[in-house]
Amino acid sequence: MAGVNTMEKKLAEYKCDTNEAICLKLVRFPEDVEDDGTTFHPEYSHQSYGDDEVAFGYKGLQIQLFYTAGNLSTLFKVKYSSKVTEAFDCVEPDDIEGKIREIVPAGFTCNTDDFISLLEKEANFKPFGSLLHTYTVHSEEAGELTYQIHKADITCPGFHEYHERLQTFLMWFIETASFIDADDDRWDFFLVFEKYNKDGETLYATVGYMTVYNYYVYPDKTRPRVSQMLILPPFQGEGHGAQLLEAVHRFYCSLPKVQDITAEDPSESYVKLRDYVLVKLCQGLPTFAVDKLHLGFSADMAKEAQDKLKINKKHARRVYEILRLRATDMSDEEKAREYRLEVKKRLFGPYRKNQRELTKMRKCLRPEELVSHMDQMDTQTQHEELEKSYQVVVEDYRRIIERIAAQA
């Protein structure tokens, strides 16, 4: 038994956290390759290396996936200090390379010198598609930086190959990511680039992107649905997501055939970003004026948000709640109570649905089954959960209000 435990301990030394082992980099200059300060790591690697996010068989494992900043030409290398087969018989290491090759498209190099030579071609890289929006961000280190948002589609020369390289980042930063069939002409692609100077030339670095699928709505409309959105980690926290989402929203608002804009299985962070952008867009609409907010959410609000900004009723209702909170003196008990009831009325919807389901159950469930379901829908528990939901919602709303105030 002692021998088994000793063997297990020795084998445990050959386990590596794949989120730490995978080293990602966006390279602009040759010196970036050896600069650890430009390296970033995945948030997730379970789609390649299992739920434990562990690779077995190596000590000191480093999986290098380096990309040229613009065209995303790729260097892929695997390094390690020791491999399990060198020390033990009949123990096989994980196929590290095979799992990466399933994600990274062909055409990458495994030679660092060849990769550095590809940087010389970055001056030839230009953003795909048509320019939608230009904006600047102030950086303490670099001063004013200029960014561009472009709309592209699969017909743009070279875009298909570029997109295959770009979407590899999804696997590391979106928990349930999947690759899309980019050849379907209903896909729109929106890309963010940073302009930068190198040896007197203007070059472009990839910042992030969004994919949108255009669904048909009878009889003659479309419903763009946001599928994936990612701002690459070196650029996160700088406001690029809000700039991208607002630019995309304004683009679709300009198209008369668009019914409204939705998102597929949005994450919590995306919902917060969308709330922020939609509040910015709606706060100037007449129906959302301060003197109308205390009268409650109205059909006129829903209609104006839909007609002018392609915002559906559900999202318009959240915008109304945020703007009403901003316009409400919450230190006034009566006004605070009115606001609280207004929000809880919406939040109570799922509980009301449960009550309707319970009424149906009474007709077909055995007594012991009914008791079980009634326990799950206890009134006191519902009130407690409702209060918790309300507090979470209001806290999120306050952050959005603070962010908008900071931008004013």
Side-chain angles (χ1 to χ4, degrees):
M1 182 67 80
V4 173
N5 289 338
T6 301
M7 178 64 76
E8 285 180 353
K9 286 180 181 177
K10 286 184 177 180
L11 290 176
E13 295 175 2
Y14 288 85
K15 289 183 178 180
C16 297
D17 181 337
T18 47
N19 288 335
E20 293 179 9
I22 297 170
C23 297
L24 304 167
K25 201 182 287 275
L26 295 167
V27 179
R28 302 186 185 193
F29 307 98
E31 54 268 29
D32 293 343
V33 173
E34 300 298 330
D35 181 2
D36 289 341
T38 62
T39 301
F40 55 101
H41 301 275
E43 289 183 29
Y44 311 102
S45 54
H46 62 274
Q47 299 207 77
S48 293
Y49 295 103
D51 291 342
D52 292 338
E53 298 183 321
V54 167
F56 171 73
Y58 307 85
K59 274 186 183 178
L61 179 64
Q62 189 179 94
I63 303 165
Q64 294 182 341
L65 279 171
F66 297 173
Y67 298 79
T68 59
N71 193 47
L72 304 179
S73 301
T74 312
L75 170 69
F76 169 41
K77 291 179 77 170
V78 175
K79 294 181 174 182
Y80 50 86
S81 58
S82 175
K83 194 174 180 179
V84 74
T85 50
E86 296 163 1
F88 302 91
D89 292 329
C90 304
V91 180
E92 289 296 320
D94 290 342
D95 181 10
I96 298 296
E97 289 202 22
K99 293 179 185 297
I100 294 294
R101 287 173 183 270
E102 290 175 7
I103 296 173
V104 179
F108 56 82
T109 180
C110 297
N111 183 285
T112 303
D113 290 337
D114 290 344
F115 176 72
I116 289 174
S117 71
L118 291 172
L119 291 174
E120 297 172 9
K121 299 180 181 180
E122 284 285 279
N124 300 324
F125 174 77
K126 296 292 181 284
F128 298 94
S130 55
L131 176 64
L132 283 188
H133 179 55
T134 300
Y135 62 98
T136 59
V137 173
H138 180 75
S139 163
E140 294 201 2
E141 294 179 5
E144 291 291 318
L145 297 174
T146 300
Y147 297 86
Q148 294 183 347
I149 297 174
H150 287 245
K151 177 186 176 291
D153 58 50
I154 207 65
T155 63
C156 297
F159 178 72
H160 187 280
E161 294 77 14
Y162 166 83
H163 176 260
E164 284 195 330
R165 297 189 291 274
L166 176 58
Q167 71 176 349
T168 60
F169 287 101
L170 295 175
M171 290 299 168
W172 313 127
F173 297 102
I174 295 181
E175 192 169 7
T176 56
S178 59
F179 292 163
I180 64 173
D181 176 14
D183 291 323
D184 187 331
D185 62 8
R186 286 184 172 269
W187 285 107
D188 287 334
F189 302 87
F190 298 89
L191 308 160
V192 187
F193 297 97
E194 178 191 318
K195 293 174 71 173
Y196 71 99
N197 292 314
K198 180 180 177 183
D199 300 329
E201 292 186 282
T202 298
L203 279 72
Y204 295 86
T206 300
V207 171
Y209 82 121
M210 177 189 287
T211 58
V212 180
Y213 193 79
N214 292 283
Y215 284 89
Y216 168 72
V217 178
Y218 181 84
D220 61 351
K221 300 280 188 181
T222 61
R223 173 172 285 124
R225 179 182 292 176
V226 176
S227 175
Q228 298 152 328
M229 178 179 178
L230 177 64
I231 301 299
L232 297 174
F235 303 97
Q236 289 176 5
E238 299 174 355
H240 301 296
Q243 290 281 356
L244 175 57
L245 187 54
E246 184 172 347
V248 169
H249 219 95
R250 291 189 183 280
F251 168 76
Y252 286 118
C253 285
S254 70
L255 304 179
K257 292 290 186 181
V258 170
Q259 173 102 352
D260 52 30
I261 304 161
T262 62
E264 179 183 343
D265 191 21
S267 66
E268 194 174 310
S269 58
Y270 178 85
V271 170
K272 292 174 183 177
L273 179 66
R274 180 175 62 196
D275 283 344
Y276 167 72
V277 170
L278 297 189
V279 168
K280 274 186 68 182
L281 293 171
C282 283
Q283 62 186 350
L285 295 179
T287 57
F288 288 86
V290 172
D291 61 332
K292 293 186 172 64
L293 294 171
H294 296 290
L295 301 176
F297 184 65
S298 67
D300 288 342
M301 288 176 179
K303 186 175 187 308
E304 187 173 31
Q306 173 91 48
D307 292 348
K308 293 184 179 178
L309 296 172
K310 315 296 185 183
I311 298 172
N312 65 35
K313 185 177 179 180
K314 178 182 175 183
H315 299 159
R317 167 74 196 213
R318 288 178 66 88
V319 168
Y320 150 76
E321 289 176 5
I322 296 167
L323 289 174
R324 178 163 175 179
L325 177 61
R326 187 173 70 174
T328 299
D329 178 3
M330 295 299 279
S331 65
D332 182 318
E333 286 189 17
E334 184 56 34
K335 290 179 179 177
R337 178 179 174 276
E338 288 176 0
Y339 179 77
R340 187 169 61 252
L341 291 174
E342 184 73 3
V343 175
K344 285 188 174 181
K345 185 167 63 176
R346 174 180 66 80
L347 294 175
F348 191 67
Y351 298 102
R352 227 179 357 244
K353 182 182 178 185
N354 281 345
Q355 292 299 332
R356 288 197 297 271
E357 289 176 352
L358 182 58
T359 301
K360 294 177 184 176
M361 287 176 189
R362 291 182 194 279
K363 300 176 181 177
C364 57
L365 290 181
R366 294 194 302 272
E368 61 271 21
E369 292 175 324
L370 186 59
V371 169
S372 170
H373 283 278
M374 288 178 72
D375 287 343
Q376 294 174 28
M377 300 175 187
D378 172 71
T379 303
Q380 180 63 30
T381 303
Q382 287 183 12
H383 284 303
E384 290 172 1
E385 290 300 314
L386 191 59
E387 178 61 23
K388 281 184 195 172
S389 298
Y390 169 77
Q391 294 298 339
V392 169
V393 164
V394 168
E395 188 60 33
D396 288 342
Y397 287 177
R398 285 200 172 105
R399 289 196 190 96
I400 291 165
I401 292 167
E402 287 169 5
R403 185 176 177 184
I404 288 174
Q407 299 292 324

